[in-house]
Amino acid sequence: MAALRRGTAYLIRAIFSSSKAAVSKPRKCASVVYTAAASLAVGGGLCAVPFKQVENLSHDSLIRRAASLVTDSSSTFLSQTTLALIDAITEYSKAVHTLIALQRRYLASLGKLTPAEEDSVWQVIIGQRAEINDRQDDCKRLESTWINVVKLCETAAEAAYSSGAEHASITMSSNIQVALSQVKEAQKLSQDADKKLAETKVLEVQRMAQQAASSEEEEIPEAYLRED
């Protein structure tokens, strides 16, 4: 009977101990789960932040990047000087056409103007010729700068190509071709204006010679013009 009581008491303690362990174990597991969940939440937050990828900072990549920057700045330099040169050539052509119009109007009214009117017209023509000289000086100055810029851009394109920046080199070469074409068209217009001005000068010389000959004939006494 005593043995039966001792066995029963042992069994009760064993059951109580296992139940206590079963109760405390889930708490420990829950603590572990909560800790893991918190860690996962923090980790998920860090993963959501967009980190910038570190590029390859090798010498070749830095050289290619520098070559692209050089071609970009050279393209800007070329576009600005090209625009300035085209504007200067255009203004020169306009000044030449204005002079042509003035000279032709003068030739059309030759012999019909009073000395005062003729002097006034010549003052305008002289002023227009001075403006043409100024415009021509501007064209020469800007053209010299533009030629140097084109050479600079050609060098930049070659350097970009040799450094592996093929796209920058191709873009630079294309910009050079566009600039050359635009300036060539503007120069063609100015050359046509110069040609018309030269023709007008020839016409002016002929008309002045005719006017001088006519004046000499008028000054010769009528007696000398009669036949013997």
Side-chain angles (χ1 to χ4, degrees):
M1 191 69 179
L4 179 59
R5 288 189 185 129
R6 287 194 298 270
T8 302
Y10 176 78
L11 180 60
I12 292 172
R13 286 196 300 268
I15 294 173
F16 180 77
S17 299
S18 61
S19 298
K20 186 177 181 180
V23 173
S24 61
K25 186 175 181 180
R27 292 178 180 175
K28 183 176 181 181
C29 292
S31 178
V32 173
V33 171
Y34 294 153
T35 304
S39 300
L40 181 59
V42 174
L46 292 176
C47 291
V49 177
F51 288 99
K52 184 178 180 181
Q53 297 294 330
V54 179
E55 298 180 359
N56 183 16
L57 299 178
S58 64
H59 289 301
D60 290 338
S61 63
L62 291 174
I63 290 174
R64 286 192 296 270
R65 182 179 298 181
S68 298
L69 292 175
V70 169
T71 54
D72 289 343
S73 59
S74 298
S75 295
T76 303
F77 195 6
L78 178 63
S79 64
Q80 292 299 324
T81 52
T82 300
L83 179 61
L85 177 57
I86 291 175
D87 286 345
I89 295 174
T90 302
E91 293 299 323
Y92 170 78
S93 300
K94 290 180 180 179
V96 171
H97 282 294
T98 300
L99 178 60
I100 293 172
L102 289 172
Q103 289 184 332
R104 288 184 176 179
R105 288 178 60 183
Y106 169 72
L107 293 176
S109 59
L110 194 62
K112 303 176 183 179
L113 300 174
T114 63
E117 292 174 339
E118 186 172 353
D119 183 68
S120 177
V121 171
W122 269 107
Q123 291 298 324
V124 176
I125 291 176
I126 292 172
Q128 189 63 28
R129 288 176 177 174
E131 181 179 352
I132 288 177
N133 291 334
D134 293 339
R135 299 293 184 184
Q136 195 172 33
D137 291 339
D138 290 339
C139 289
K140 290 179 180 179
R141 175 178 56 82
L142 290 171
E143 185 177 9
S144 177
T145 302
W146 178 78
I147 290 174
N148 291 330
V149 174
V150 171
K151 293 178 180 179
L152 173 65
C153 291
E154 290 174 346
T155 302
E158 294 175 358
Y161 182 81
S162 63
S163 65
E166 290 86 359
H167 179 72
S169 177
I170 293 172
T171 302
M172 184 77 266
S173 299
S174 177
N175 292 338
I176 292 173
Q177 294 302 319
V178 171
L180 291 173
S181 177
Q182 291 176 342
V183 172
K184 184 177 180 180
E185 290 297 324
Q187 290 175 337
K188 186 183 297 183
L189 295 176
S190 67
Q191 290 171 358
D192 292 340
D194 290 338
K195 182 179 179 181
K196 291 180 181 180
L197 181 60
E199 293 173 353
T200 303
K201 287 182 178 180
V202 172
L203 180 62
E204 180 183 356
V205 171
Q206 293 175 351
R207 292 294 303 274
M208 294 295 291
Q210 293 174 359
Q211 182 69 18
S214 177
S215 299
E216 289 178 357
E217 290 179 358
E218 292 178 357
E219 292 177 358
I220 297 176
E222 185 179 354
Y224 289 97
L225 297 177
R226 296 176 181 174
E227 295 182 357
D228 293 339

